[in-house]
Amino acid sequence: MIIVKKIIRDILNNKPYRNLTHLRNFCAVKDQSLESNPQPEQDNDESKRNTLLKEFENELPRRPGVDPKDTSIILFPGQGTQYVGMGKELLRFPRALSLFKFANEILKYDLLKICLEGPVEKLNRTEYAQLAVMVSSLAALEQLREERPRAIENCVATAGFSLGEITALVFAGALQFDKALKLVQVRANAMQAACDKASGAMAMVLYAPDAQLGKACLQAKQWCIDRGVESPYCGIANYMYPQCKIIAGNTEAVEFLEKNAKALKIKRMRRLPVSGAFHTPLMESAVEPFAKALKSMYIEEPAVRVYSNIDGKPYKNHTHILKLLPKQIVKPVKWEQTLLYLYDRKLGTNFPRTFECGPGKGLVQVLEKVNAKAAATAFNIPA
């Protein structure tokens, strides 16, 4: 009976027997031990049991562990990082150039020309910016593939900020590139339409530890109501790092915060180059068309862990992606929480190398604020 219990316990604890012979030999040793020294079924002699268990475990084949510093995490930026001229340095890589050419064929317009020449007012419009950032980020990934192929081969996790999450899903093999282009096109057009309905803005906010940011947002919302703004909103759209958030809402609400920053204990505010209040209820009209487009696509199981902006945790399967991804349009991006989950490990354990692929260096800079040790081995592959 003791033997049966032990075998069941080992199976539950994922301690495999090498083969049937190994299992029979182990049982035979136990039987001999019990015959030479009979014990009652309820054996309380822990030291003997632990000795036998240790002997057995010492016989198991040992697989050398993988040093985390030999693995990688790949991050992808979101909208707001675009700039005129991005992608120019990547065109020397044939696969990167092919991505842009393929995108031009799918989209029926010259996305590469917009990236290289602008004008900036056009590039910053949501319907172009999202596609430009995604394709440029995947083009930067091709530079990483050329220069450090092991970073691709040994990638254990990926995540993307807002739009970058879709880029991460393409990299992980959950979404095909051509299908993802169409999906982002639907997302961008629907979000631009939502922007056109209600004037919105986003701003990075650095605030004092004793500032009450939630209360400040409520004051901004009330200020809008008093001036006749219909169904106004103001709230946290992105969680960046301690004492740094991105606020989004009606343009009037953001202006109120800017004008009253000192009284509200806001140290600094900087507007983002976006055309609306993303990740807020003001984007509600964009959810349905995006969800419908996503539902029509075949989603593969990701080849590596992809972390969701909704709760910072990895997606469980393709059904989970289908459920959570549309919500991202109206829910805050929990980037700080994502980084905490991504780099959570035992004290003294090495961190994976991190590669930010795409325009800007913002994600590595945020990582420095959240986890300086992990950021020490982080690199930017610029678009």
Side-chain angles (χ1 to χ4, degrees):
M1 184 66 179
I2 295 173
I3 300 170
V4 174
K5 287 182 178 179
K6 173 66 178 66
I7 293 170
I8 293 172
R9 192 176 73 192
D10 284 347
I11 292 171
L12 291 174
N13 289 331
N14 293 319
K15 292 180 180 176
Y17 296 93
R18 280 174 283 184
N19 48 46
L20 285 174
T21 304
H22 191 200
L23 178 58
R24 290 192 194 100
N25 291 341
F26 173 66
C27 293
V29 169
K30 292 281 286 186
D31 286 341
Q32 290 171 14
S33 174
L34 290 171
E35 286 171 7
S36 61
N37 186 20
Q39 297 182 35
E41 183 173 323
Q42 298 299 321
D43 183 8
N44 293 318
D45 193 343
E46 290 293 330
S47 62
K48 288 184 179 179
R49 277 193 239 172
N50 289 338
T51 300
L52 283 168
L53 182 60
K54 190 174 289 185
E55 288 175 358
F56 170 67
E57 288 178 338
N58 287 338
E59 291 180 10
L60 289 173
R62 298 296 178 189
R63 180 181 172 186
V66 177
D67 191 331
K69 70 181 180 182
D70 294 329
T71 64
S72 64
I73 290 173
I74 298 178
L75 306 177
F76 298 99
Q79 185 178 350
T81 57
Q82 69 276 357
Y83 65 93
V84 174
M86 67 180 186
K88 182 179 179 181
E89 298 302 318
L90 298 171
L91 300 181
R92 68 185 189 275
F93 299 101
R95 286 170 62 107
L97 179 59
S98 295
L99 280 173
F100 278 109
K101 288 182 176 179
F102 190 30
N104 288 351
E105 291 178 12
I106 298 287
L107 299 173
K108 307 300 182 187
Y109 66 83
D110 198 337
L111 180 67
L112 178 58
K113 185 177 180 180
I114 296 172
C115 289
L116 296 177
E117 302 175 13
V120 65
E121 294 80 13
K122 185 173 185 178
L123 179 61
N124 282 348
R125 282 190 62 84
T126 300
E127 67 254 47
Y128 300 115
Q130 291 193 13
L131 288 156
V133 170
M134 185 184 81
V135 178
S136 296
S137 298
L138 290 171
L141 186 68
E142 293 306 322
Q143 177 178 340
L144 181 63
R145 195 187 306 274
E146 287 273 347
E147 297 177 347
R148 304 183 74 160
R150 287 179 62 83
I152 305 290
E153 296 164 8
N154 297 337
C155 180
V156 293
T158 181
F161 191 97
S162 186
L163 159 77
E165 188 172 316
I166 298 178
T167 314
L169 288 167
V170 173
F171 165 66
L175 299 175
Q176 294 178 4
F177 175 64
D178 57 337
K179 304 296 183 186
L181 276 173
K182 289 292 187 181
L183 182 66
V184 172
Q185 191 171 40
V186 170
R187 182 182 190 266
N189 288 339
M191 290 176 72
Q192 183 63 56
C195 293
D196 294 339
K197 286 181 183 177
S199 175
M202 302 180 76
M204 183 187 74
V205 176
L206 294 173
Y207 56 94
D210 58 342
Q212 296 181 331
L213 204 56
K215 188 176 179 180
C217 289
L218 288 175
Q219 290 179 25
K221 182 178 177 181
Q222 186 59 51
W223 190 86
C224 291
I225 292 172
D226 294 343
R227 276 146 189 80
V229 178
E230 188 177 346
S231 303
Y233 179 85
C234 183
I236 297 173
N238 308 149
Y239 291 82
M240 304 303 289
Y241 54 86
Q243 277 103 61
C244 179
K245 306 289 184 287
I246 290 177
I247 298 296
N250 295 80
T251 303
E252 297 88 342
V254 175
E255 289 173 350
F256 172 85
L257 295 177
E258 290 171 336
K259 291 175 182 177
N260 296 277
K262 187 174 181 180
L264 297 169
K265 298 183 179 180
I266 293 173
K267 295 180 178 180
R268 181 187 169 198
M269 284 187 70
R270 178 175 62 83
R271 290 282 189 107
L272 301 186
V274 295
S275 54
F278 304 149
H279 308 289
T280 74
L282 296 180
M283 293 288 109
E284 185 62 44
S285 63
V287 174
E288 186 178 351
F290 177 79
K292 185 178 179 181
L294 183 65
K295 197 174 292 185
S296 69
M297 296 175 56
Y298 181 74
I299 303 173
E300 294 274 5
E301 299 296 338
V304 296
R305 291 195 307 276
V306 181
Y307 284 70
S308 168
N309 288 179
I310 295 295
D311 56 9
K313 299 177 183 179
Y315 283 113
K316 298 173 184 177
N317 48 43
H318 74 279
T319 305
H320 202 204
I321 296 169
L322 199 63
K323 180 181 177 181
L324 290 192
L325 196 56
K327 294 180 181 179
Q328 188 224 60
I329 293 174
V330 291
K331 296 291 185 181
V333 173
K334 294 188 176 177
W335 190 250
E336 182 180 352
Q337 295 87 332
T338 299
L339 295 180
L340 292 174
Y341 279 114
L342 264 172
Y343 298 96
D344 181 38
R345 58 206 60 244
K346 292 180 181 178
L347 191 65
T349 305
N350 288 322
F351 287 99
R353 288 185 172 85
T354 299
F355 298 92
E356 177 184 1
C357 294
K361 300 180 180 179
L363 300 185
V364 169
Q365 291 171 355
V366 171
L367 181 58
E368 289 172 354
K369 304 288 187 182
V370 177
N371 191 322
K373 288 186 178 180
T377 54
F379 306 89
N380 177 257
I381 310 298

